[in-house]
Amino acid sequence: MANTENVFSEKIDALREALMIPKHNLAKYLTSESRCPHCAIDKPALEQYWVSHTLIERGTPGPRHRWAVYACHSCGGMVLAKGVANEDSDRAGIIATFPSPRTIHADIPDPARRFLQQAVETLHAPDAAAMVAGSAVDAMLKTLGYEKGSVYERIEKAVSDHKLTEDMGAWAHEVRLGSNRPRHADAEKPHVEPAEAKQSVEFAEALAFFLFVLTKRIERGKKAAEAASNPIVQP
């Protein structure tokens, strides 16, 4: 029964998105099913901090919107909400929020992508985020074909093979060292500070971007250029 309800709920959400039917409106509280884009806490409590009481004027032709700002009760981070075009109501539906919930780029292959998403979602627990970021780097190395030896040895091998630049190798080592401390309960400094965890996740995500996302973009760009220079002649 639960699975049937979940499938039905997913279909309703897909239909709502297709029809651009807002799930929320500019109410006093914004209930989010996703994570806070700042602290990544699950289903944050967002309270309205400010709201425009009329449609915001613009100097160019186009739709006007009401806007509101919400504050996360956990971290105090602000989220900007955009109301439905030309709906001049205190309960205007919300069609977009900024910043959007953080998601990892689809061009990054699993399991690295899944590890990175988990790292982002656990930034409120720095030790966990650092360890999962280390797992993401490990997965990236294996995707590149480096499966034998320690993570240190595999990073060094990837650098010597020019699969990673020296700077990318340095990023990978930073993430590796950060993940080792909580994983092995380092006697002197077992815990990772929030800023260190954030840096580890950013290094791992940057590494994935250069290894996979940028490569895919270049491949797509080349294919698009070839298609443009060799148009199909219709009979």
Side-chain angles (χ1 to χ4, degrees):
M1 182 65 178
N3 288 337
T4 302
E5 291 178 352
N6 288 339
V7 170
F8 180 74
S9 178
E10 289 173 2
K11 288 183 177 179
I12 291 296
D13 286 345
L15 180 61
R16 180 185 288 113
E17 182 175 347
L19 297 175
M20 295 192 69
I21 302 173
K23 295 178 67 174
H24 306 290
N25 54 40
L26 300 176
K28 179 65 175 176
Y29 293 93
L30 174 59
T31 304
S32 177
E33 289 83 11
S34 58
R35 295 178 180 270
C36 172
H38 302 289
C39 67
I41 191 170
D42 192 24
K43 297 181 180 178
L46 301 172
E47 184 174 1
Q48 194 178 91
Y49 187 82
W50 171 88
V51 63
S52 66
H53 292 291
T54 185
L55 297 170
I56 300 299
E57 296 296 332
R58 53 183 295 166
T60 57
R64 296 179 298 156
H65 304 267
R66 282 201 178 198
W67 297 81
V69 176
Y70 292 85
C72 173
H73 279 192
S74 177
C75 68
M78 295 295 191
V79 175
L80 178 64
K82 181 181 183 180
V84 171
N86 302 317
E87 187 174 332
D88 194 3
S89 166
D90 290 337
R91 306 287 290 184
I94 294 174
I95 58 171
T97 57
F98 310 91
S100 300
R102 189 173 170 189
T103 57
I104 302 304
H105 202 285
D107 282 343
I108 299 170
D110 281 329
R113 182 175 182 271
R114 187 169 180 179
F115 281 134
L116 280 173
Q117 188 65 51
Q118 291 176 8
V120 167
E121 293 176 353
T122 54
L123 279 171
H124 59 283
D127 289 341
M131 286 192 290
V132 183
S135 296
V137 170
D138 192 1
M140 289 181 225
L141 291 170
K142 289 175 179 176
T143 299
L144 294 176
Y146 299 97
E147 300 181 356
K148 296 181 180 179
S150 67
V151 177
Y152 172 85
E153 292 170 340
R154 288 185 282 133
I155 292 172
E156 289 298 295
K157 178 63 174 169
V159 172
S160 66
D161 289 347
H162 304 293
K163 291 285 188 178
L164 302 179
T165 66
E166 290 188 4
D167 284 341
M168 291 161 71
W171 292 348
H173 280 306
E174 285 288 335
V175 178
R176 174 184 63 83
L177 292 172
S179 68
N180 281 347
R181 281 164 41 205
R183 178 180 289 119
H184 301 298
D186 184 83
E188 296 183 3
K189 194 177 180 183
H191 298 294
V192 177
E193 296 297 322
E196 294 175 310
K198 183 173 183 291
Q199 185 180 60
S200 288
V201 174
E202 288 177 349
F203 278 169
E205 193 172 3
L207 186 62
F209 178 85
F210 284 112
L211 288 176
F212 305 109
V213 179
L214 189 58
T215 300
K216 288 287 186 182
R217 286 184 180 177
I218 292 172
E219 289 177 0
R220 286 194 289 265
K222 286 182 177 178
K223 288 180 180 179
E226 290 173 1
S229 61
N230 297 292
I232 298 175
V233 179
Q234 297 293 335

